[in-house]
């Protein structure tokens, strides 16, 4: 079925929306009606494939759970037959097996969780199409480079000036390709962060540690000038290090590590290997998977799963271990109590040389004292406010999650009156109290500050 709107401008892209629920398709079309897209709709996988046989489609948004052919199977068909068509999965729950299958078979670009925010949906689709355009431009430039290389072979060797000019042009093309390739690799980091947000719906709010671990890793990597490739692997590992825990039951998830019985300890010790196994099929994540496997090794060789010792433990895994333990100690996930932030730093120092790389531990503790990246200050004034006290033009200093753990707004989002009103209504509907960390409009050059309610994490 094809929908014909009457846009004022030429459609910028063709989208196919697939869902067996008519009201969901209507809601998607309403959200996208002003985006100057050509919108096609299908009620199931068979209709979608039939449309794709006759229409040129840039992006497909498919529901995960549909009768007959589900979203993962449909996106797998599309990936094999139309690999240049972007694929997004619309899902109403965090189903680990379906998610992993969708990644492996459909090579999806993004997840969209139900219910979605219209602004974020539009932004996600714009970014996806921009990514697609960058990839097409990369392919065009690669073809251009090959054609120019063939032309160089035919040039007269004596025309030195012409060769010099062409060489300069090729360098410019190569620089553009490098930039495009860098954008593609950055998109993998973004995808793991979105995946992490989806997986957090399986975990209680106080066990959702990935964001703080990622903040610590990012600050350390930037401060110490780590190589770009290692930084990417570390950020992906920080987003997914606890992926293997999602195979546990709720009792094991909520019990501090030191209170586990022998049989439970055995299950606990396998989570790094489980996480690695789930990611190894994805080539861009293999470096991050290796860090996840070894982040429970110990400097003295008493860790697991491979009992590596000293510098045999990958550097990134040693750093990830420090960040994970520092946050999980404060959340009550290791000891039978929540450890205050300063006491957690003292414990890291105490076990330096036994559990942790002593030199790395010293640098990490210094970073936590001097910059406190886990508190989300970012060198600016930070206020902790309920929605009714928010003002337009404030910006979020930290990701905002719903009580169930779903990502609502990203860090850096500028607040508008419409967004503030939505947050107030959300509090009323969910019968809950939200607290947002925000930068006031004048905070750009202000000294670091933290509201009293946030001083004791």
């Amino acid at each position: 079925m094809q929908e014909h709107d009457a846009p004022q401008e030429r459609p910028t892209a063709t989208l196919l929306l697939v869902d067996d629920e008519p009201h969901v398709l209507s809601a998607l079309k309403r959200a996208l009606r002003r985006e100057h897209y050509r919108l096609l709709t299908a009620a199931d996988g068979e209709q979608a494939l039939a449309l794709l046989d006759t229409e040129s489609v840039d992006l497909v948004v498919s529901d995960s759970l549909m009768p007959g052919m589900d979203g993962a199977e449909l996106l797998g068909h599309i990936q094999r037959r139309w690999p240049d068509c972007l694929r997004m999965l619309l899902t109403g729950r965090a189903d680990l097996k379906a998610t992993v299958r969708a990644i492996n078979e459909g090579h999806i670009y993004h997840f969209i969780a139900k219910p979605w925010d219209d602004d974020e949906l539009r932004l996600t689709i714009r970014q996806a199409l921009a990514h697609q355009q960058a990839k097409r431009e990369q392919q065009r430039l690669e073809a251009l480079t090959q054609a120019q290389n063939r032309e160089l072979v035919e040039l007269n060797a004596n025309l030195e000036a012409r060769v010099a000019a062409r060489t300069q042009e090729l360098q410019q093309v190569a620089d553009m390709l490098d930039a495009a390739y860098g954008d593609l690799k950055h998109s993998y980091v973004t995808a793991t962060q979105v995946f992490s947000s989806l997986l957090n719906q399986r975990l209680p709010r106080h066990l959702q540690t990935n964001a703080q671990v990622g903040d610590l890793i990012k600050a350390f990597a930037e401060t110490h000038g780590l190589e770009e490739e290692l930084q990417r692997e570390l950020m992906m590992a920080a987003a997914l290090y606890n992926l293997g825990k999602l195979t546990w039951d709720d009792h094991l998830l909520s019990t501090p590590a030191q209170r586990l019985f022998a049989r439970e300890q055995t299950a606990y010790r396998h989570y790094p290997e489980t996480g690695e196994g789930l990611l190894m099929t994805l080539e861009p994540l293999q470096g991050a998977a290796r860090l996840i496997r070894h982040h429970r090794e110990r400097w003295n060789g008493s860790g697991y799963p491979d009992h590596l010792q000293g510098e045999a433990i990958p550097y990134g895994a040693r750093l990830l271990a420090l960040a994970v333990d520092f946050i999980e100690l404060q959340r009550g996930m290791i000891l039978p109590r929540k450890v205050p932030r300063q006491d957690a730093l003292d414990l890291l120092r105490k076990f330096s040389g036994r559990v942790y790389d002593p030199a790395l531990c010293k640098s990490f503790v210094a970073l936590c004292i001097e910059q406190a990246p886990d508190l989300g200050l970012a060198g600016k004034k930070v206020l902790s406010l309920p929605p009714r006290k928010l003002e337009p033009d404030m910006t979020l200093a930290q990701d905002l999650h719903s009580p169930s753990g779903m990502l609502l707004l990203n860090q850096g989002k500028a607040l508008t009156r419409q967004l503030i009103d939505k947050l107030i209504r959300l509090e009323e509907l969910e019968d809950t109290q939200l607290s947002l960390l925000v930068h006031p409009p004048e905070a750009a050059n202000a000294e670091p500050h933290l509201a009293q309610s946030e001083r004791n994490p």
Side-chain angles (χ1 to χ4, degrees), residues 204 206-207 245 248-261 264-265 268 328 331-337:
H206 73 285
L207 301 183
K245 294 182 180 180
W248 297 351
D249 58 32
D250 291 342
H251 165 71
L252 196 59
L253 279 173
S254 59
T255 303
Q258 288 199 356
R259 281 190 171 175
L260 297 175
F261 294 110
E264 295 170 331
Q265 282 281 359
Y268 181 91
E328 291 193 352
R331 300 289 186 93
M333 299 167 65
I334 298 177
L335 300 178
R337 61 183 177 83

Side-chain angles (χ1 to χ4, degrees), residues 85-213:
C85 179
L86 287 173
R87 300 163 295 282
M88 292 187 178
L89 188 68
L90 190 65
T91 178
R93 60 182 182 180
D95 185 324
L96 178 62
K97 291 183 178 177
T99 298
V100 172
R101 188 160 68 91
I103 291 176
N104 290 340
E105 298 179 8
H107 295 273
I108 63 174
Y109 174 84
H110 208 92
F111 292 95
I112 302 173
K114 294 181 182 178
W116 63 82
D117 178 272
D118 285 350
D119 289 337
E120 292 185 5
L121 173 66
R122 288 189 284 266
L123 178 60
T124 297
I125 290 177
R126 288 182 204 137
Q127 291 175 337
L129 293 171
H131 167 84
Q132 183 185 62
Q133 183 59 36
K135 188 173 181 180
R136 288 172 177 172
E137 180 65 7
Q138 178 190 7
Q139 292 170 347
R140 185 190 72 81
L141 291 172
E142 288 174 342
L144 175 62
T145 301
Q146 293 174 359
Q148 290 174 334
N149 283 336
R150 289 192 296 269
E151 182 182 354
L152 282 173
V153 174
E154 300 170 0
L155 287 175
N156 190 320
N158 295 326
L159 299 177
E160 296 181 1
R162 185 178 178 185
V163 170
R166 186 64 70 189
T167 301
Q168 183 179 6
E169 183 179 340
L170 288 173
Q171 182 59 52
Q172 292 174 349
V173 171
D175 291 342
M176 294 176 66
L177 287 173
D178 287 342
Y181 183 59
D183 289 342
L184 287 175
K185 290 197 285 188
H186 177 73
S187 70
Y188 288 118
V189 177
T190 303
T192 58
Q193 291 170 341
V194 174
F195 188 25
S196 174
S197 175
L198 184 65
L199 295 177
N200 273 340
Q201 296 181 63
R202 168 73 169 84
L203 301 172
R205 185 73 181 91
H206 73 285
L207 301 183
Q208 297 173 15
T209 57
N210 307 76
Q212 278 187 296
V213 171

Side-chain angles (χ1 to χ4, degrees), residues 416-433:
T416 63
R417 173 51 56 190
Q418 182 181 14
L419 274 177
I420 294 170
D421 291 340
K422 285 184 178 181
L423 292 171
I424 294 172
R425 288 197 297 273
L426 177 64
E427 275 194 326
E428 295 171 351
L429 291 173
E430 297 290 341
D431 190 22
T432 187
Q433 293 182 347

